[in-house]
Amino acid sequence: MKIHRFITSFKRENSTLKVVDLEVLHQIKKVLKIKPGEVVIISEGNGIDFSAKLKIFGKDFVEFEVLEEIENQTEPKRKLFLFAAILKRESFEFIIQKGTEVGVEEFFPIITERTVKFDLKLDRLRKIAKEAAEQSERGRVPKVHPPLSFGDAIEKSKEIGLPLVLEKSGKFICDSTPELKGFESASVLTGPEGGWTTREIQEFEKNRYPLLSLGSRTLRAETAVVVAAWYLVSL
């Protein structure tokens, strides 16, 4: 039997959790029709889950009785920071959703020379990340940052950890496994639908960023991002 999971803020008093998020309240009461006595998992997205039994509905709140406090064990050991070129709306939403499911730590949208869409709806993307984290039973919701310029993405990715670039002309990613296995955190930069420009590739080479390929087949940009993210997190 599926146990529903909610990542939301709450007030705790002894063994009682009080949720006042009206959107979550509507989902529990009207959409999922969860009844008093049923058990759910509640988390603030900080790595701690609470198994809790629904007690009562109020006008603008719902109360739960804490049954157990559990440390979430689903977060990947390696932290992967994804610097993804902005794609068309549906494709970029796919990246946020599936990237969250496979374990991306944070998302940094980047503006490249071939970027054609600039007006991201960050609130919607963050909601997608939250829902995907709930669905995949993650202990944390990955951050979705405002867009960065290409130059700023280069600088930021250097600060975070091992920088890697997804590029069809690069070294096959499976042949790089021995060097990649030891990393604790990595920044992965992924390009737009038309791929990186010559100037952008030269900038990566100047900064000595390894170029990694997923093989001889040409994948859609959003497919390549999710496959690479899953592979790197799972090493």
Side-chain angles (χ1 to χ4, degrees):
M1 177 180 167
K2 178 179 175 61
I3 297 180
H4 295 289
R5 173 180 294 265
F6 303 94
I7 298 177
T8 185
S9 59
F10 54 78
K11 297 176 182 178
R12 183 179 182 184
E13 186 174 339
N14 299 322
S15 63
T16 298
L17 299 183
K18 185 176 182 179
V19 176
V20 296
D21 185 325
L22 295 181
E23 187 173 338
V24 172
L25 177 59
H26 174 77
Q27 187 180 13
I28 290 172
K29 189 174 184 179
K30 301 294 186 182
V31 179
L32 298 173
K33 301 185 186 301
I34 298 173
K35 307 295 184 185
E38 293 189 51
V39 176
V40 302
I41 300 294
I42 299 178
S43 171
E44 288 187 304
N46 58 2
I48 301 297
D49 295 339
F50 292 94
S51 173
K53 181 169 64 176
L54 198 156
K55 289 172 62 179
I56 59 170
F57 286 109
K59 182 180 179 181
D60 54 2
F61 68 89
V62 58
E63 281 190 1
F64 295 88
E65 176 189 352
V66 175
L67 303 177
E68 187 179 8
E69 183 175 330
I70 311 159
E71 184 177 352
N72 187 286
Q73 300 292 330
T74 66
E75 287 299 297
K77 294 178 181 178
R78 298 177 179 86
K79 295 185 183 300
L80 190 69
F81 298 83
L82 182 60
F83 290 73
I86 300 171
L87 309 179
K88 295 173 183 176
R89 183 176 65 84
E90 295 86 353
S91 298
F92 203 74
E93 289 178 359
F94 180 89
I95 286 176
I96 299 296
Q97 182 186 62
K98 303 307 177 186
T100 297
E101 290 178 18
V102 302
V104 170
E105 181 75 11
E106 296 183 22
F107 296 93
F108 293 85
I110 57 177
I111 299 169
T112 68
E113 289 186 30
R114 290 179 172 149
T115 296
V116 295
K117 179 177 174 58
F118 300 92
D119 55 331
L120 288 183
K121 296 181 179 178
L122 289 175
D123 287 346
R124 175 170 170 78
L125 295 176
R126 288 164 181 161
K127 182 178 180 182
I128 289 171
K130 175 179 175 293
E131 291 174 349
E134 291 173 338
Q135 186 276 324
S136 57
E137 300 185 6
R138 287 191 59 174
R140 301 183 186 278
V141 179
K143 294 180 180 178
V144 182
H145 294 273
L148 295 174
S149 68
F150 179 80
D152 287 343
I154 292 283
E155 294 305 312
K156 186 68 177 177
S157 59
K158 284 180 186 177
E159 298 172 9
I160 290 178
L162 175 67
L164 305 166
V165 178
L166 202 60
E167 160 57 31
K168 193 169 185 290
S169 65
K171 182 179 179 181
F172 185 41
I173 194 168
C174 293
D175 294 336
S176 301
T177 298
E179 306 99 89
L180 297 175
K181 271 193 171 181
F183 80 85
E184 293 184 1
S185 69
S187 304
V188 180
L189 295 94
T190 64
E193 281 94 343
W196 303 110
T197 64
T198 299
R199 189 195 70 80
E200 289 166 341
I201 294 291
Q202 290 172 345
E203 190 68 20
F204 292 137
E205 291 173 342
K206 185 178 85 173
N207 284 275
R208 298 184 178 180
Y209 279 22
L211 305 182
L212 299 177
S213 165
L214 293 179
S216 58
R217 290 182 297 280
T218 300
L219 305 179
R220 292 179 65 90
E222 63 270 28
T223 305
V225 171
V226 175
V227 170
W230 175 85
Y231 184 83
L232 291 168
V233 166
S234 303
L235 282 174

